[in-house]
Amino acid sequence: MTGLLVVTAVPAEADAVRAGLTDTSVTVAPIGVGPAVAGAATARLLALAEAAGRPYRAVVSAGVAGGFTGRAAVGDTVLGTASIAADLGAESPDGFIAVDDLGMPPALLGGGSVMPADPGLLAALRAALPSATTGPVLTVSTVTGTAASTDELRRRHPEAVAEAMEGYGVAVAAAQAGVPFVELRTISNPIGPRDRDAWRLREALSALTTAAPALR
């Protein structure tokens, strides 16, 4: 069995993780942006490793994220207790209907819209990163950029601490392969009205490098 597989969306995130690693058994791979490409690419990496007789022992979705104000501040490290497909469902006159409530068989959903983190893997990372914020991380296909949509996400997911774009896809791929999964994020911006000038990517990537030694 090989070591840990850490997947990020973009090369800058992968470089930040590698900069903090000394464990050569950890594989870090940038796989693309969004839940679809993240799920497909992770599934391929897991399948190739299994076919070679060297399956990965766990998968981590890592990178930067937006944080909900009052729950995760810029520069914070977040450990996802679950990865939630926050915009997977249907609109209706009465509001958003989550895919779990549409009557579709769970087997077709990869486990539903909520993919819990592996308890053991989460506990190990919490022990290694005691100052990290923990809570659900939302996966979205469109980054939240208005006050109204932020308020709606808060209403529907009152415990969520952050949003990103890949975690749910990676979680589904890991679940299908029977491999433990967890999501690790560092906060680059507050969730809300889009303001790129308020994003602090350098600080978030630096925090990702600081957190990386926990991925042993």
Side-chain angles (χ1 to χ4, degrees), residues 26 30-31 55 63 66 81 104 120 131-132 148 152 181 187-188 211:
V26 178
I31 56 174
T81 55
M104 296 180 182
S131 62
E152 174 65 9
F181 162 85
I187 305 303
S188 61

Side-chain angles (χ1 to χ4, degrees), residues 143-166:
V143 173
T144 303
T146 68
S149 54
T150 302
D151 290 344
E152 174 65 9
L153 283 180
R154 281 182 176 271
R155 184 189 66 79
R156 285 169 32 214
H157 303 283
E159 303 301 320
V161 296
E163 74 166 23
M165 301 182 75
E166 294 80 32

Side-chain angles (χ1 to χ4, degrees), residues 45-86:
L45 290 172
L46 292 173
L48 288 173
E50 185 173 1
R54 296 176 57 80
Y56 290 105
R57 59 183 173 83
V59 180
V60 177
S61 177
V64 303
F68 283 102
T69 301
R71 300 175 189 169
V74 171
D76 282 357
T77 296
V78 166
L79 295 173
T81 55
S83 298
I84 301 175

Side-chain angles (χ1 to χ4, degrees), residues 120-198:
L121 191 55
L122 179 61
L125 286 176
R126 291 178 79 167
L129 298 167
S131 62
T133 298
T134 58
V137 176
L138 306 183
T139 298
V140 295
S141 296
T142 301
V143 173
T144 303
T146 68
S149 54
T150 302
D151 290 344
E152 174 65 9
L153 283 180
R154 281 182 176 271
R155 184 189 66 79
R156 285 169 32 214
H157 303 283
E159 303 301 320
V161 296
E163 74 166 23
M165 301 182 75
E166 294 80 32
Y168 178 80
V170 178
V172 170
Q176 292 290 327
V179 177
F181 162 85
V182 73
E183 187 167 1
L184 184 154
R185 297 283 174 178
T186 55
I187 305 303
S188 61
N189 59 281
I191 299 170
R194 185 171 175 80
D195 178 11
R196 284 300 302 268
D197 291 337

